[in-house]
């Protein structure tokens, strides 16, 4: 009788182990650094009246299922914040410097909305970034010269903001940059020819 009880408990334990393993095969746990970065980004942004874009950002669930968050394995590779549809109210707030912690990011867009403040210098830490579009907002200040560190960048769209100053020469020589949209700002100075370098 005791032997039969031990067999029963052993089978139950094996079943629990199997279910546990299957559960982890079904989804990947997000990298802790990315998780904390998303939390900081969420705290600095809010839905404008009529928008519910951030309603799915409930950190008791998988962040890879949040609106605008796209993951590969356990890393965030794309962050598309706001709703680009015509007439969408979008988001307001500032871009938190924690954005630079999402080191696997290849795409970042925030359109449209009422995002204000300057572009965080920490964006320059996203060495694999290929697409950067933060347009139709209220971003002010200068274009950071440190964006010239984004050697993989192909598209830069900072149009329809409140940016001032000139276009940093460091950006003009990015080797992969093919699309640059900076219209409808308050930029000044000479626009040099964009010359890709190897």
């Amino acid at each position: 009788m005791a032997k039969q009880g031990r067999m029963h408990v052993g089978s139950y334990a094996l079943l629990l182990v199997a279910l546990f393993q299957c559960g982890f095969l079904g989804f990947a746990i997000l990298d802790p650094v990315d998780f904390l970065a998303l939390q900081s980004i969420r705290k600095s942004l809010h839905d404008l009246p009529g928008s519910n874009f951030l309603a799915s950002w409930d950190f008791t669930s998988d962040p890879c299922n949040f609106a605008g968050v796209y993951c590969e394995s356990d890393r965030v590779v794309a962050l598309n914040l706001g709703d680009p549809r015509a007439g969408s109210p979008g988001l307001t707030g500032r871009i938190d410097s924690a954005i630079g912690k999402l080191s696997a990011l290849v795409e970042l867009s925030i359109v449209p909305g009422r995002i204000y403040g300057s572009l965080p210098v920490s964006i320059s830490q996203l060495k694999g970034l290929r697409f950067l579009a933060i347009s139709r907002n209220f971003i002010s200040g200068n274009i950071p010269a440190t964006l010239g560190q984004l050697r993989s960048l192909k598209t830069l769209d900072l149009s329809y903001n409140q940016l001032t100053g000139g276009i940093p020469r460091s950006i003009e020589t990015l080797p992969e940059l093919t699309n640059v949209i900076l219209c409808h700002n308050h930029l000044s100075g000479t626009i040099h020819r964009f010359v890709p370098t190897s």
Side-chain angles (χ1 to χ4, degrees):
M1 192 75 175
K3 184 178 179 182
Q4 186 178 4
R6 284 197 299 271
M7 288 177 60
H8 201 65
V9 170
S11 300
Y12 181 69
L14 285 173
L15 178 63
L16 283 178
V17 169
L19 289 173
F20 187 71
Q21 288 177 339
C22 288
F24 275 96
L25 290 173
F27 66 91
I29 297 175
L30 189 64
D31 181 275
V33 174
D34 285 14
F35 185 89
L36 292 173
L38 288 178
Q39 283 189 321
S40 296
I41 292 164
R42 172 63 185 91
K43 288 175 184 175
S44 67
L45 297 174
H46 310 281
D47 280 305
L48 284 167
S51 171
N52 64 351
F53 183 83
L54 293 172
S56 67
W57 283 51
D58 173 5
F59 285 91
T60 62
S61 60
D62 183 3
C64 294
N65 292 326
F66 292 177
V69 177
Y70 302 90
C71 303
E72 284 184 8
S73 185
D74 64 340
R75 304 303 308 277
V76 177
V77 295
L79 197 58
N80 305 134
L81 300 176
D83 191 337
R85 294 177 300 180
S88 171
L91 306 175
T92 187
R94 293 177 178 270
I95 305 170
D96 194 276
S97 61
I99 197 83
K101 299 290 187 181
L102 299 174
S103 58
L105 212 60
V106 296
E107 181 177 324
L108 171 61
S109 65
I110 308 176
V111 291
R114 293 184 175 274
I115 304 298
Y116 53 87
S118 57
L119 286 173
V121 174
S122 62
I123 289 178
S124 63
Q125 297 170 16
L126 305 175
K127 304 303 183 186
L129 199 65
R130 296 197 294 261
F131 182 88
L132 175 59
I134 304 175
S135 64
R136 298 186 182 277
N137 281 284
F138 292 86
I139 299 296
S140 58
N142 296 332
I143 299 174
T146 53
L147 292 185
Q149 297 173 24
L150 302 177
R151 309 301 289 175
S152 299
L153 197 65
K154 295 178 180 292
T155 295
L156 175 64
D157 182 0
L158 300 175
S159 60
Y160 292 90
N161 279 295
Q162 306 292 324
L163 292 165
T164 55
I167 301 172
R169 292 297 300 268
S170 60
I171 293 174
E172 297 176 10
T173 56
L174 285 174
E176 303 293 330
L177 195 61
T178 54
N179 300 302
V180 182
I181 310 168
L182 301 173
C183 59
H184 295 278
N185 280 289
H186 304 294
L187 298 170
S188 59
T190 304
I191 300 176
H192 303 93
R193 185 175 64 175
F194 282 79
V195 181
T197 59
S198 55

PDB file of all heavy atoms in Angstrom, residues 79-108:
ATOM      1  N   LEU A  79      10.021  48.977 -30.990  1.00  0.00           N
ATOM      2  CA  LEU A  79       9.127  49.710 -30.104  1.00  0.00           C
ATOM      3  C   LEU A  79       8.425  50.768 -30.943  1.00  0.00           C
ATOM      4  O   LEU A  79       9.054  51.709 -31.418  1.00  0.00           O
ATOM      5  CB  LEU A  79       9.937  50.360 -28.977  1.00  0.00           C
ATOM      6  CG  LEU A  79       9.210  50.831 -27.730  1.00  0.00           C
ATOM      7  CD1 LEU A  79       8.447  49.688 -27.066  1.00  0.00           C
ATOM      8  CD2 LEU A  79      10.194  51.455 -26.739  1.00  0.00           C
ATOM      9  N   ASN A  80       7.128  50.552 -31.185  1.00  0.00           N
ATOM     10  CA  ASN A  80       6.332  51.482 -31.992  1.00  0.00           C
ATOM     11  C   ASN A  80       5.250  52.067 -31.094  1.00  0.00           C
ATOM     12  O   ASN A  80       4.211  51.446 -30.867  1.00  0.00           O
ATOM     13  CB  ASN A  80       5.705  50.769 -33.193  1.00  0.00           C
ATOM     14  CG  ASN A  80       6.743  50.062 -34.054  1.00  0.00           C
ATOM     15  OD1 ASN A  80       6.573  48.918 -34.443  1.00  0.00           O
ATOM     16  ND2 ASN A  80       7.843  50.739 -34.352  1.00  0.00           N
ATOM     17  N   LEU A  81       5.503  53.258 -30.572  1.00  0.00           N
ATOM     18  CA  LEU A  81       4.630  53.867 -29.579  1.00  0.00           C
ATOM     19  C   LEU A  81       3.676  54.861 -30.219  1.00  0.00           C
ATOM     20  O   LEU A  81       4.088  55.678 -31.044  1.00  0.00           O
ATOM     21  CB  LEU A  81       5.463  54.564 -28.497  1.00  0.00           C
ATOM     22  CG  LEU A  81       6.418  53.648 -27.721  1.00  0.00           C
ATOM     23  CD1 LEU A  81       7.254  54.463 -26.748  1.00  0.00           C
ATOM     24  CD2 LEU A  81       5.650  52.558 -26.990  1.00  0.00           C
ATOM     25  N   GLY A  82       2.419  54.808 -29.808  1.00  0.00           N
ATOM     26  CA  GLY A  82       1.401  55.668 -30.404  1.00  0.00           C
ATOM     27  C   GLY A  82       0.692  54.939 -31.524  1.00  0.00           C
ATOM     28  O   GLY A  82       1.021  53.805 -31.867  1.00  0.00           O
ATOM     29  N   ASP A  83      -0.303  55.597 -32.076  1.00  0.00           N
ATOM     30  CA  ASP A  83      -1.107  55.002 -33.148  1.00  0.00           C
ATOM     31  C   ASP A  83      -1.015  55.899 -34.374  1.00  0.00           C
ATOM     32  O   ASP A  83      -1.477  57.035 -34.353  1.00  0.00           O
ATOM     33  CB  ASP A  83      -2.563  54.876 -32.684  1.00  0.00           C
ATOM     34  CG  ASP A  83      -3.409  54.035 -33.619  1.00  0.00           C
ATOM     35  OD1 ASP A  83      -3.034  53.920 -34.804  1.00  0.00           O
ATOM     36  OD2 ASP A  83      -4.432  53.502 -33.176  1.00  0.00           O
ATOM     37  N   PRO A  84      -0.370  55.423 -35.456  1.00  0.00           N
ATOM     38  CA  PRO A  84      -0.136  56.279 -36.623  1.00  0.00           C
ATOM     39  C   PRO A  84      -1.374  56.574 -37.467  1.00  0.00           C
ATOM     40  O   PRO A  84      -1.298  57.316 -38.434  1.00  0.00           O
ATOM     41  CB  PRO A  84       0.901  55.487 -37.429  1.00  0.00           C
ATOM     42  CG  PRO A  84       0.648  54.069 -37.058  1.00  0.00           C
ATOM     43  CD  PRO A  84       0.216  54.089 -35.618  1.00  0.00           C
ATOM     44  N   ARG A  85      -2.526  56.005 -37.113  1.00  0.00           N
ATOM     45  CA  ARG A  85      -3.723  56.249 -37.913  1.00  0.00           C
ATOM     46  C   ARG A  85      -4.132  57.721 -37.865  1.00  0.00           C
ATOM     47  O   ARG A  85      -3.993  58.377 -36.835  1.00  0.00           O
ATOM     48  CB  ARG A  85      -4.886  55.388 -37.418  1.00  0.00           C
ATOM     49  CG  ARG A  85      -4.680  53.902 -37.621  1.00  0.00           C
ATOM     50  CD  ARG A  85      -5.829  53.121 -37.031  1.00  0.00           C
ATOM     51  NE  ARG A  85      -5.946  53.373 -35.587  1.00  0.00           N
ATOM     52  CZ  ARG A  85      -6.873  52.815 -34.823  1.00  0.00           C
ATOM     53  NH1 ARG A  85      -7.759  51.985 -35.333  1.00  0.00           N
ATOM     54  NH2 ARG A  85      -6.899  53.086 -33.525  1.00  0.00           N
ATOM     55  N   ALA A  86      -4.647  58.229 -38.948  1.00  0.00           N
ATOM     56  CA  ALA A  86      -5.080  59.624 -39.019  1.00  0.00           C
ATOM     57  C   ALA A  86      -6.131  59.903 -37.951  1.00  0.00           C
ATOM     58  O   ALA A  86      -7.059  59.130 -37.755  1.00  0.00           O
ATOM     59  CB  ALA A  86      -5.647  59.927 -40.400  1.00  0.00           C
ATOM     60  N   GLY A  87      -5.968  61.002 -37.249  1.00  0.00           N
ATOM     61  CA  GLY A  87      -6.937  61.390 -36.233  1.00  0.00           C
ATOM     62  C   GLY A  87      -6.700  60.783 -34.872  1.00  0.00           C
ATOM     63  O   GLY A  87      -7.406  61.085 -33.919  1.00  0.00           O
ATOM     64  N   SER A  88      -5.695  59.911 -34.743  1.00  0.00           N
ATOM     65  CA  SER A  88      -5.408  59.296 -33.447  1.00  0.00           C
ATOM     66  C   SER A  88      -4.805  60.337 -32.509  1.00  0.00           C
ATOM     67  O   SER A  88      -3.914  61.091 -32.905  1.00  0.00           O
ATOM     68  CB  SER A  88      -4.430  58.139 -33.612  1.00  0.00           C
ATOM     69  OG  SER A  88      -3.989  57.666 -32.359  1.00  0.00           O
ATOM     70  N   PRO A  89      -5.267  60.397 -31.248  1.00  0.00           N
ATOM     71  CA  PRO A  89      -4.732  61.406 -30.331  1.00  0.00           C
ATOM     72  C   PRO A  89      -3.309  61.131 -29.864  1.00  0.00           C
ATOM     73  O   PRO A  89      -2.572  62.039 -29.523  1.00  0.00           O
ATOM     74  CB  PRO A  89      -5.711  61.375 -29.150  1.00  0.00           C
ATOM     75  CG  PRO A  89      -6.333  60.024 -29.199  1.00  0.00           C
ATOM     76  CD  PRO A  89      -6.369  59.636 -30.650  1.00  0.00           C
ATOM     77  N   GLY A  90      -2.900  59.856 -29.810  1.00  0.00           N
ATOM     78  CA  GLY A  90      -1.526  59.528 -29.474  1.00  0.00           C
ATOM     79  C   GLY A  90      -1.194  59.652 -28.007  1.00  0.00           C
ATOM     80  O   GLY A  90      -2.058  59.594 -27.130  1.00  0.00           O
ATOM     81  N   LEU A  91       0.109  59.864 -27.738  1.00  0.00           N
ATOM     82  CA  LEU A  91       0.646  59.864 -26.379  1.00  0.00           C
ATOM     83  C   LEU A  91       1.207  61.233 -26.012  1.00  0.00           C
ATOM     84  O   LEU A  91       1.515  62.043 -26.884  1.00  0.00           O
ATOM     85  CB  LEU A  91       1.760  58.821 -26.256  1.00  0.00           C
ATOM     86  CG  LEU A  91       1.420  57.394 -26.668  1.00  0.00           C
ATOM     87  CD1 LEU A  91       2.668  56.516 -26.608  1.00  0.00           C
ATOM     88  CD2 LEU A  91       0.327  56.824 -25.772  1.00  0.00           C
ATOM     89  N   THR A  92       1.371  61.449 -24.712  1.00  0.00           N
ATOM     90  CA  THR A  92       2.028  62.648 -24.217  1.00  0.00           C
ATOM     91  C   THR A  92       3.049  62.239 -23.163  1.00  0.00           C
ATOM     92  O   THR A  92       3.024  61.113 -22.667  1.00  0.00           O
ATOM     93  CB  THR A  92       1.011  63.650 -23.632  1.00  0.00           C
ATOM     94  OG1 THR A  92       1.695  64.869 -23.305  1.00  0.00           O
ATOM     95  CG2 THR A  92       0.339  63.101 -22.381  1.00  0.00           C
ATOM     96  N   GLY A  93       3.933  63.174 -22.824  1.00  0.00           N
ATOM     97  CA  GLY A  93       4.980  62.891 -21.847  1.00  0.00           C
ATOM     98  C   GLY A  93       6.354  63.075 -22.460  1.00  0.00           C
ATOM     99  O   GLY A  93       6.508  63.700 -23.514  1.00  0.00           O
ATOM    100  N   ARG A  94       7.341  62.531 -21.794  1.00  0.00           N
ATOM    101  CA  ARG A  94       8.728  62.624 -22.252  1.00  0.00           C
ATOM    102  C   ARG A  94       9.270  61.238 -22.595  1.00  0.00           C
ATOM    103  O   ARG A  94       8.757  60.238 -22.106  1.00  0.00           O
ATOM    104  CB  ARG A  94       9.616  63.238 -21.166  1.00  0.00           C
ATOM    105  CG  ARG A  94       9.311  64.699 -20.861  1.00  0.00           C
ATOM    106  CD  ARG A  94      10.189  65.192 -19.727  1.00  0.00           C
ATOM    107  NE  ARG A  94       9.978  66.604 -19.426  1.00  0.00           N
ATOM    108  CZ  ARG A  94      10.658  67.592 -19.992  1.00  0.00           C
ATOM    109  NH1 ARG A  94      11.607  67.326 -20.875  1.00  0.00           N
ATOM    110  NH2 ARG A  94      10.407  68.843 -19.678  1.00  0.00           N
ATOM    111  N   ILE A  95      10.316  61.217 -23.399  1.00  0.00           N
ATOM    112  CA  ILE A  95      10.995  59.952 -23.704  1.00  0.00           C
ATOM    113  C   ILE A  95      12.017  59.719 -22.605  1.00  0.00           C
ATOM    114  O   ILE A  95      12.970  60.487 -22.456  1.00  0.00           O
ATOM    115  CB  ILE A  95      11.684  60.001 -25.074  1.00  0.00           C
ATOM    116  CG1 ILE A  95      10.699  60.387 -26.173  1.00  0.00           C
ATOM    117  CG2 ILE A  95      12.333  58.658 -25.393  1.00  0.00           C
ATOM    118  CD1 ILE A  95      11.357  60.685 -27.499  1.00  0.00           C
ATOM    119  N   ASP A  96      11.828  58.678 -21.825  1.00  0.00           N
ATOM    120  CA  ASP A  96      12.720  58.394 -20.711  1.00  0.00           C
ATOM    121  C   ASP A  96      14.088  57.935 -21.222  1.00  0.00           C
ATOM    122  O   ASP A  96      14.181  57.231 -22.230  1.00  0.00           O
ATOM    123  CB  ASP A  96      12.105  57.308 -19.812  1.00  0.00           C
ATOM    124  CG  ASP A  96      12.806  57.199 -18.477  1.00  0.00           C
ATOM    125  OD1 ASP A  96      13.846  56.502 -18.414  1.00  0.00           O
ATOM    126  OD2 ASP A  96      12.324  57.811 -17.510  1.00  0.00           O
ATOM    127  N   SER A  97      15.130  58.338 -20.508  1.00  0.00           N
ATOM    128  CA  SER A  97      16.487  57.959 -20.926  1.00  0.00           C
ATOM    129  C   SER A  97      16.725  56.453 -20.869  1.00  0.00           C
ATOM    130  O   SER A  97      17.675  55.944 -21.471  1.00  0.00           O
ATOM    131  CB  SER A  97      17.520  58.668 -20.040  1.00  0.00           C
ATOM    132  OG  SER A  97      17.357  58.286 -18.686  1.00  0.00           O
ATOM    133  N   ALA A  98      15.829  55.718 -20.181  1.00  0.00           N
ATOM    134  CA  ALA A  98      15.953  54.259 -20.120  1.00  0.00           C
ATOM    135  C   ALA A  98      15.800  53.612 -21.487  1.00  0.00           C
ATOM    136  O   ALA A  98      16.127  52.426 -21.650  1.00  0.00           O
ATOM    137  CB  ALA A  98      14.907  53.682 -19.163  1.00  0.00           C
ATOM    138  N   ILE A  99      15.355  54.373 -22.479  1.00  0.00           N
ATOM    139  CA  ILE A  99      15.231  53.851 -23.849  1.00  0.00           C
ATOM    140  C   ILE A  99      16.571  53.279 -24.315  1.00  0.00           C
ATOM    141  O   ILE A  99      16.627  52.308 -25.065  1.00  0.00           O
ATOM    142  CB  ILE A  99      14.738  54.960 -24.814  1.00  0.00           C
ATOM    143  CG1 ILE A  99      14.217  54.359 -26.114  1.00  0.00           C
ATOM    144  CG2 ILE A  99      15.800  55.995 -25.100  1.00  0.00           C
ATOM    145  CD1 ILE A  99      12.818  53.873 -26.050  1.00  0.00           C
ATOM    146  N   GLY A 100      17.670  53.867 -23.829  1.00  0.00           N
ATOM    147  CA  GLY A 100      19.004  53.416 -24.225  1.00  0.00           C
ATOM    148  C   GLY A 100      19.384  52.057 -23.680  1.00  0.00           C
ATOM    149  O   GLY A 100      20.371  51.461 -24.115  1.00  0.00           O
ATOM    150  N   LYS A 101      18.598  51.538 -22.720  1.00  0.00           N
ATOM    151  CA  LYS A 101      18.869  50.217 -22.146  1.00  0.00           C
ATOM    152  C   LYS A 101      18.363  49.080 -23.026  1.00  0.00           C
ATOM    153  O   LYS A 101      18.735  47.923 -22.839  1.00  0.00           O
ATOM    154  CB  LYS A 101      18.219  50.101 -20.771  1.00  0.00           C
ATOM    155  CG  LYS A 101      18.716  51.112 -19.746  1.00  0.00           C
ATOM    156  CD  LYS A 101      20.128  50.822 -19.318  1.00  0.00           C
ATOM    157  CE  LYS A 101      20.562  51.727 -18.179  1.00  0.00           C
ATOM    158  NZ  LYS A 101      21.964  51.471 -17.768  1.00  0.00           N
ATOM    159  N   LEU A 102      17.494  49.403 -24.009  1.00  0.00           N
ATOM    160  CA  LEU A 102      16.943  48.368 -24.899  1.00  0.00           C
ATOM    161  C   LEU A 102      17.966  48.090 -26.003  1.00  0.00           C
ATOM    162  O   LEU A 102      17.776  48.433 -27.169  1.00  0.00           O
ATOM    163  CB  LEU A 102      15.600  48.830 -25.483  1.00  0.00           C
ATOM    164  CG  LEU A 102      14.492  49.107 -24.462  1.00  0.00           C
ATOM    165  CD1 LEU A 102      13.253  49.689 -25.157  1.00  0.00           C
ATOM    166  CD2 LEU A 102      14.116  47.833 -23.713  1.00  0.00           C
ATOM    167  N   SER A 103      19.059  47.458 -25.637  1.00  0.00           N
ATOM    168  CA  SER A 103      20.230  47.365 -26.510  1.00  0.00           C
ATOM    169  C   SER A 103      20.022  46.516 -27.758  1.00  0.00           C
ATOM    170  O   SER A 103      20.834  46.574 -28.685  1.00  0.00           O
ATOM    171  CB  SER A 103      21.429  46.831 -25.714  1.00  0.00           C
ATOM    172  OG  SER A 103      21.131  45.567 -25.155  1.00  0.00           O
ATOM    173  N   ALA A 104      18.953  45.720 -27.819  1.00  0.00           N
ATOM    174  CA  ALA A 104      18.687  44.910 -29.014  1.00  0.00           C
ATOM    175  C   ALA A 104      17.744  45.623 -29.990  1.00  0.00           C
ATOM    176  O   ALA A 104      17.390  45.067 -31.030  1.00  0.00           O
ATOM    177  CB  ALA A 104      18.088  43.564 -28.612  1.00  0.00           C
ATOM    178  N   LEU A 105      17.359  46.844 -29.677  1.00  0.00           N
ATOM    179  CA  LEU A 105      16.370  47.563 -30.480  1.00  0.00           C
ATOM    180  C   LEU A 105      16.904  47.875 -31.880  1.00  0.00           C
ATOM    181  O   LEU A 105      18.008  48.399 -32.035  1.00  0.00           O
ATOM    182  CB  LEU A 105      15.989  48.868 -29.771  1.00  0.00           C
ATOM    183  CG  LEU A 105      14.573  49.399 -29.932  1.00  0.00           C
ATOM    184  CD1 LEU A 105      13.543  48.401 -29.418  1.00  0.00           C
ATOM    185  CD2 LEU A 105      14.409  50.726 -29.198  1.00  0.00           C
ATOM    186  N   VAL A 106      16.116  47.542 -32.904  1.00  0.00           N
ATOM    187  CA  VAL A 106      16.468  47.890 -34.284  1.00  0.00           C
ATOM    188  C   VAL A 106      15.479  48.898 -34.869  1.00  0.00           C
ATOM    189  O   VAL A 106      15.754  49.519 -35.895  1.00  0.00           O
ATOM    190  CB  VAL A 106      16.534  46.641 -35.201  1.00  0.00           C
ATOM    191  CG1 VAL A 106      17.641  45.705 -34.742  1.00  0.00           C
ATOM    192  CG2 VAL A 106      15.212  45.909 -35.254  1.00  0.00           C
ATOM    193  N   GLU A 107      14.335  49.085 -34.210  1.00  0.00           N
ATOM    194  CA  GLU A 107      13.320  50.007 -34.720  1.00  0.00           C
ATOM    195  C   GLU A 107      12.662  50.743 -33.556  1.00  0.00           C
ATOM    196  O   GLU A 107      12.233  50.130 -32.584  1.00  0.00           O
ATOM    197  CB  GLU A 107      12.259  49.232 -35.511  1.00  0.00           C
ATOM    198  CG  GLU A 107      11.166  50.099 -36.098  1.00  0.00           C
ATOM    199  CD  GLU A 107      10.177  49.298 -36.929  1.00  0.00           C
ATOM    200  OE1 GLU A 107      10.623  48.338 -37.600  1.00  0.00           O
ATOM    201  OE2 GLU A 107       8.977  49.626 -36.913  1.00  0.00           O
ATOM    202  N   LEU A 108      12.594  52.076 -33.683  1.00  0.00           N
ATOM    203  CA  LEU A 108      11.948  52.902 -32.671  1.00  0.00           C
ATOM    204  C   LEU A 108      11.120  53.975 -33.368  1.00  0.00           C
ATOM    205  O   LEU A 108      11.651  54.754 -34.156  1.00  0.00           O
ATOM    206  CB  LEU A 108      12.985  53.569 -31.766  1.00  0.00           C
ATOM    207  CG  LEU A 108      12.463  54.629 -30.778  1.00  0.00           C
ATOM    208  CD1 LEU A 108      11.455  54.034 -29.808  1.00  0.00           C
ATOM    209  CD2 LEU A 108      13.625  55.283 -30.023  1.00  0.00           C
TER     210      LEU A 108
END
